Amino acid sequence: MIVGLIGPRWAGKGEVARYLAEQEWFESFESFEDLKKAQGIERGWTKGTRLVIRRISKEDATLLSKRPYCLIVAVDSPLLDRFRRSERDDLELFQQESDEELYGEGGLAELMASISVQILNSGTLEQLRAQARSLRIGDAGHLRPSWDCYFLAI
């Protein structure tokens, strides 16, 4: 299973990746490029492989979402929370950059809205970890529904 995290800067993707690495036994990579350099795309990935990519691009998310063993997770956070985490001084500039990242040409907002597993990081670190735990991100059921879920959906 490969989990790719997508979202704006300072939303908490790094903390979600850290949680998955520490608590769910995922091997963590900064980007999809880092994963490809370290392992080669798909080389040696087996059913038990558990990888998390902290920061994926919109293009990488589109590519990975077509793979049956990949799960894309959207991580978002309110603008002011992200601004505080960034320790920057100029809120207006931060807001402009954030708007461009989310809503500009090739922005993330449309893709993030279409992702079925989403995390809203609007609380403490403990709350973020509890939310990640409750979503059971490492559960293979996210990749392929159980027979019960499949037949109920019909």
Side-chain angles (χ1 to χ4, degrees):
M1 169 183 241
I2 298 174
V3 174
L5 304 175
I6 192 165
R9 286 174 285 184
W10 302 103
K13 299 180 300 292
E15 290 300 332
V16 173
R18 192 171 295 113
Y19 166 78
L20 291 173
E22 293 172 359
Q23 302 296 320
E24 302 285 338
W25 304 99
F26 278 76
E27 184 177 353
S28 183
F29 293 88
E30 177 66 23
S31 68
F32 190 50
E33 286 301 314
D34 291 345
L35 172 61
K36 289 191 286 188
K37 288 177 191 171
Q39 297 193 347
I41 183 105
E42 297 188 44
R43 193 183 93 230
W45 295 347
T46 62
K47 187 176 180 181
T49 299
R50 294 169 71 88
L51 308 170
V52 61
I53 306 168
R54 178 179 168 234
R55 180 180 43 86
I56 61 171
S57 67
K58 187 175 179 179
E59 294 77 22
D60 293 339
T62 302
L63 172 73
L64 288 171
S65 66
K66 295 176 184 174
R67 313 276 172 142
Y69 47 80
C70 295
L71 174 68
I72 307 301
V73 177
V75 182
D76 203 357
S77 185
L79 178 74
L80 286 176
D81 289 346
R82 291 187 289 117
F83 175 70
R84 288 185 193 109
R85 290 183 200 123
S86 75
E87 299 179 354
R88 296 195 34 204
D89 295 327
D90 189 345
L91 175 59
E92 187 174 337
L93 179 61
F94 185 86
Q95 181 180 10
Q96 289 172 355
E97 292 171 352
S98 177
D99 285 351
E100 180 63 30
E101 181 180 26
L102 289 169
Y103 310 109
E105 188 176 326
L108 299 174
E110 186 177 342
L111 175 64
M112 289 176 61
S114 70
I115 294 172
S116 61
V117 179
Q118 299 191 12
I119 295 175
L120 179 60
N121 179 14
S122 60
T124 66
L125 180 57
E126 292 76 26
Q127 290 170 325
L128 175 63
R129 286 176 165 253
Q131 187 176 6
R133 185 173 33 259
S134 72
L135 288 172
R136 301 176 57 201
I137 294 171
D139 186 351
H142 287 295
L143 302 178
R144 174 176 260 177
S146 68
W147 282 109
D148 291 341
C149 291
Y150 174 75
F151 285 115
L152 285 174
I154 293 179

